[in-house]
Amino acid sequence: DKTNMFPLVRRCCSHTPFRLQKSTGPRLLLCAKNKTTWSSLGLWLRRDVCPLLRPPSLKPASVYATQLQAFHTSLPLSKKKKPPESETESQKSKESLKDAPKPALYLSLGGLVPFVMGPVAMAIQGSYYPEVAFAQVAYGAVTASFLGGMRWGFALPEDSPAKPDWLNLANGIVPPLFAWQALLYKDATLGAVMLVMALGIALHYDVALLPPYPRWFKRLRVWGTVVMVLSLLATPALKLILDEQRLEGRNKWQN
């Protein structure tokens, strides 16, 4: 059997054209009972053994063509395309104050009127009124308390991204405490300074610590806080300016 199989392996590996039926001729039929067994053995040898002994230079041209094409096309394919931004992210990036709901925008702008009216009225009259300054501080204290309570309202719903933990709920109490302290000062100018601190803390909480807020709301909070702070600081500034003018007027009258 070994002497008969050696020529078969040699012919299969040297790629000489022959038919399997010839190799499984009378000699193999005398040694084997089943012709299909030897034919399957020959096919296995031709399929598995011969490619191992084939020199690498005999690769067909189609293999090199596919490798060359893959080499030229591998660079663009290797570059990972940046995934397109989702529609929600693109909408968030475009949101501005114009995209804010009309009720929220108009009510917020209307809520800034009492802050601005006090300094404007005193500047027009040319005199400082403690009652007007106290009214402005009282309204500022109510606004700061409202901003602190808004944090509670955002954290309490079950589907809210903010959890009702110690940090969120305790931070909601800080602005009302500053507002209450501002009302205890007899001088409204000191109360205005305390309210500026309360509004700054509330803005920091809403912008930095609660990113799930809509972008238009954050911009509304920033601009609203800027107007409120400038209005509150304008009241003590007017008091200083008007007091200096009054002292200068008295000195001129005495001289």
Side-chain angles (χ1 to χ4, degrees):
D1 297 338
K2 294 182 180 180
T3 59
N4 294 331
M5 291 179 61
F6 181 74
L8 178 62
V9 176
R10 184 177 181 181
R11 289 180 183 179
C12 184
C13 297
S14 60
H15 291 279
T16 58
F18 71 100
R19 293 184 180 180
L20 186 62
Q21 294 179 358
K22 293 182 179 181
S23 63
T24 58
R27 296 180 180 180
L28 294 177
L29 291 175
L30 293 175
C31 299
K33 295 181 180 180
N34 192 358
K35 183 178 180 179
T36 58
T37 304
W38 288 103
S39 62
S40 61
L41 177 61
L43 290 173
W44 176 79
L45 291 172
R46 186 175 182 180
R47 183 183 60 189
D48 296 335
V49 178
C50 295
L52 296 176
L53 301 176
R54 185 183 301 175
S57 61
L58 297 178
K59 291 184 179 180
S62 60
V63 177
Y64 289 103
T66 54
Q67 290 181 357
L68 184 62
Q69 184 179 4
F71 175 79
H72 287 290
T73 58
S74 61
L75 184 58
L77 292 176
S78 62
K79 293 181 179 180
K80 296 182 180 179
K81 296 181 179 180
K82 295 181 180 180
E85 294 182 355
S86 60
E87 295 180 357
T88 55
E89 292 180 356
S90 61
Q91 290 179 358
K92 288 182 179 180
S93 61
K94 295 181 180 179
E95 283 182 352
S96 60
L97 292 179
K98 296 180 180 179
D99 300 325
K102 300 303 180 182
L105 181 60
Y106 294 153
L107 290 175
S108 298
L109 294 177
L112 298 176
V113 174
F115 285 98
V116 180
M117 285 183 61
V120 170
M122 288 186 289
I124 293 173
Q125 295 293 329
S127 59
Y128 175 78
Y129 297 100
E131 295 82 4
V132 176
F134 179 78
Q136 184 191 34
V137 171
Y139 183 75
V142 174
T143 304
S145 300
F146 168 77
L147 294 175
M150 184 175 61
R151 189 175 179 87
W152 276 58
F154 182 74
L156 289 180
E158 296 181 357
D159 56 347
S160 176
K163 297 181 180 180
D165 53 6
W166 284 98
L167 181 62
N168 287 326
L169 299 183
N171 289 336
I173 298 177
V174 173
L177 290 176
F178 277 82
W180 170 70
Q181 183 66 30
L183 295 175
L184 296 179
Y185 289 107
K186 294 182 180 180
D187 190 358
T189 57
L190 297 177
V193 174
M194 186 65 65
L195 284 178
V196 168
M197 297 174 61
L199 294 174
I201 292 173
L203 179 65
H204 172 69
Y205 290 159
D206 293 339
V207 174
L209 300 182
L210 285 179
Y213 275 149
R215 190 171 298 240
W216 63 264
F217 179 75
K218 291 184 178 181
R219 294 183 179 179
L220 186 63
R221 286 282 294 109
V222 170
W223 288 107
T225 303
V226 169
V227 174
M228 288 186 287
V229 168
L230 293 178
S231 300
L232 289 170
L233 294 178
T235 300
L238 280 174
K239 181 181 179 182
L240 294 175
I241 294 172
L242 294 176
D243 290 343
E244 289 180 359
Q245 291 179 356
R246 187 178 300 176
L247 291 175
E248 290 179 359
R250 289 181 179 178
N251 293 332
K252 290 182 181 180
W253 183 77
Q254 291 178 357
N255 295 330

